[in-house]
Amino acid sequence: LSQVPLVSEMRLLVSSVSGVFDQARILAHFVGRRGCDTGFRSSSISSYCTSHSKIHRTIVTMSASAQTNLKRSPLDDTSVEGVEKRRKPTQVQSRGVPNFPFSPQGQSGTIPQVGFGTATIHGNDCERAVMCALDAGYRYIDTALLYKNHTPVGNALKKTKVPRSDIFLTSKCSFFCAEDAFPNTPETSMNLKGRELESIDICLKELQQDYIDLMLIHNPCASKEELSAAMMPHYFELESLKTPNNAPPEKLRNGDNIRSLCLDAKLSAVKASLDYKSTFEMRKASWLAMEKALASGKVKYIGVSNYPAELLLEMKKYATVMPAVNQLELHPRHAAVELQKVAKDLGVVLTAYGTGNSVMIEKNAIVKEIAERHGKSAVQVVLRWTVQSGIVAIPRSRTPDHIIENVDVFDWVLSAEEMAAINAMNEEYPYYWWHDPIKMVTRTA
């Protein structure tokens, strides 16, 4: 219970029983615990009750004495033994998160269709969130050396009762291009291209693990110019969402789009500094190091992140083992259609990040209508679209209610018409990572 706030405990318990009356008994119990200090929010309880009208009516029609008796049920036992009895597997855990298979050249296996992302979550918040995710049925935990949260992730894996063999742990390394291109800090020096094997050892130590299930090259950039250009959407999209008052202007006085002008300038800088041979050799060396890590047994599978279709195909020139996974920004507004086709042909599974920020999902009329039709949230609709498209989703959240909600996408489906409506939203518009500078690298070959 110390890891899961009260509202989420309520939702887990409600989902673990069938029958309106039994669900009402649990809700009545929680209504009776108003005022406790373990994360309770009366508005959340009220909202949950009223959104489940049958359960709500059952509670309302109960007599006061009946509700009092219900509040004296075994659920009131807050001892360690009582809490442990309540932490039995939920429906989500018992039915499990299904897997996608991957079978590229040189490796094969499976990966859960929904994982828990940890980017930007740190310290105790991260440990609690990972524990909550594992309690809710997630079995895939995604982190990275760049995120600086390996220690709390590792702490959660040590504390959970879920066997390590049931957990699919992913991390990433090889983010920065060269030591002299960025501030010489511990963050950059232990996460450099050319030092993949050292970085993997650091990951294992920080995560307190003997092995990592899947290790990814965090990005394919081989120069400071490439990385700066590829990350440009962060400034215009994500920073604007975080601090609307400091958002960059959209247009110049003459009407020119500032985002487009900046992207064009960054692309020109990449072109001016481009050395195809050296960038090719850097990517090749990084991947060959990953193959050594795979052979050593320190990682079970290897893959890449933020690779466009052109670079996946380029890997056929030097890879003995092709990537199991390519993790990238993918959502209705940036669906990476060409990459989906190439990955499928190669036997590579795509893993999508960026679901929550894309298209300002909650405000999108198409997604909102579909969500209302299914009685789901807008984010759930997009997560369902993702897995129904054959792509792994790794939503992130600090909030237990949202963590639980995000994995609840397997007992309902979108119709062909709904899938087509969401597919039609694609503009190949990135919020995080711009592939064009990297694509240009391969066109010069």
Side-chain angles (χ1 to χ4, degrees), residues 56-67:
H56 185 236
R57 285 197 299 272
T58 304
I59 293 175
V60 170
T61 56
M62 286 180 180
S63 68
S65 61
Q67 289 197 31

Side-chain angles (χ1 to χ4, degrees), residues 358-369 378 425:
S358 67
V359 211
M360 292 298 287
I361 287 297
E362 291 82 358
K363 298 181 180 180
N364 183 273
I366 295 172
V367 175
K368 184 177 180 181
E369 180 184 347
M425 294 164 58

Side-chain angles (χ1 to χ4, degrees), residues 180-308:
D180 60 355
F182 298 92
N184 187 12
T185 65
E187 178 186 14
T188 57
S189 63
M190 67 182 184
N191 199 6
L192 283 172
K193 296 185 185 300
R195 295 185 181 175
E196 287 79 11
L197 295 177
E198 297 173 56
S199 297
I200 290 170
D201 285 340
I202 291 170
C203 292
L204 288 166
K205 182 178 179 180
E206 291 182 345
L207 287 163
Q208 308 157 64
Q209 299 295 311
D210 297 324
Y211 70 93
I212 295 169
D213 294 271
L214 173 65
M215 197 73 196
L216 306 178
I217 291 179
H218 208 147
N219 72 69
C221 295
S223 71
K224 181 178 180 179
E225 289 77 16
E226 288 178 37
L227 184 59
S228 178
M231 294 182 65
M232 200 66 187
H234 272 78
Y235 174 67
F236 286 96
E237 308 303 333
L238 300 185
E239 292 303 320
S240 297
L241 291 174
K242 292 177 184 176
T243 56
N245 293 334
N246 296 324
E250 291 185 9
K251 296 181 179 180
L252 296 176
R253 290 182 179 179
N254 66 0
D256 288 347
N257 183 280
I258 294 178
R259 183 181 190 272
S260 297
L261 291 173
C262 289
L263 293 178
D264 287 344
K266 288 291 186 181
L267 205 59
S268 297
V270 172
K271 188 174 182 179
S273 64
L274 183 61
D275 179 348
Y276 173 76
K277 184 176 180 180
S278 66
T279 58
F280 175 85
E281 291 299 329
M282 183 176 288
R283 286 191 294 273
K284 176 181 176 181
S286 291
W287 186 250
L288 295 183
M290 298 291 278
E291 291 187 351
K292 288 182 180 179
L294 178 66
S296 74
K298 293 179 180 179
V299 299
K300 294 178 70 174
Y301 305 106
I302 52 176
V304 296
S305 180
N306 297 307
Y307 271 50

Side-chain angles (χ1 to χ4, degrees), residues 308-317 322 338 342 346:
E310 291 85 348
L311 287 192
L312 277 185
L313 293 170
E314 180 191 74
M315 292 184 73
K316 295 168 71 174
K317 297 179 181 179
M322 288 293 283
E338 178 188 2
V342 170
L346 293 174

Side-chain angles (χ1 to χ4, degrees), residues 380-395:
Q380 280 178 301
V381 168
V382 177
L383 291 172
R384 179 64 216 176
W385 168 82
T386 304
V387 298
Q388 202 164 315
S389 299
I391 298 163
V392 176
I394 47 170

Side-chain angles (χ1 to χ4, degrees), residues 95-113:
R95 73 168 178 254
V97 174
N99 296 326
F100 283 133
F102 53 81
S103 55
Q105 174 183 300
Q107 55 183 337
S108 62
T110 61
I111 183 171
Q113 294 182 11

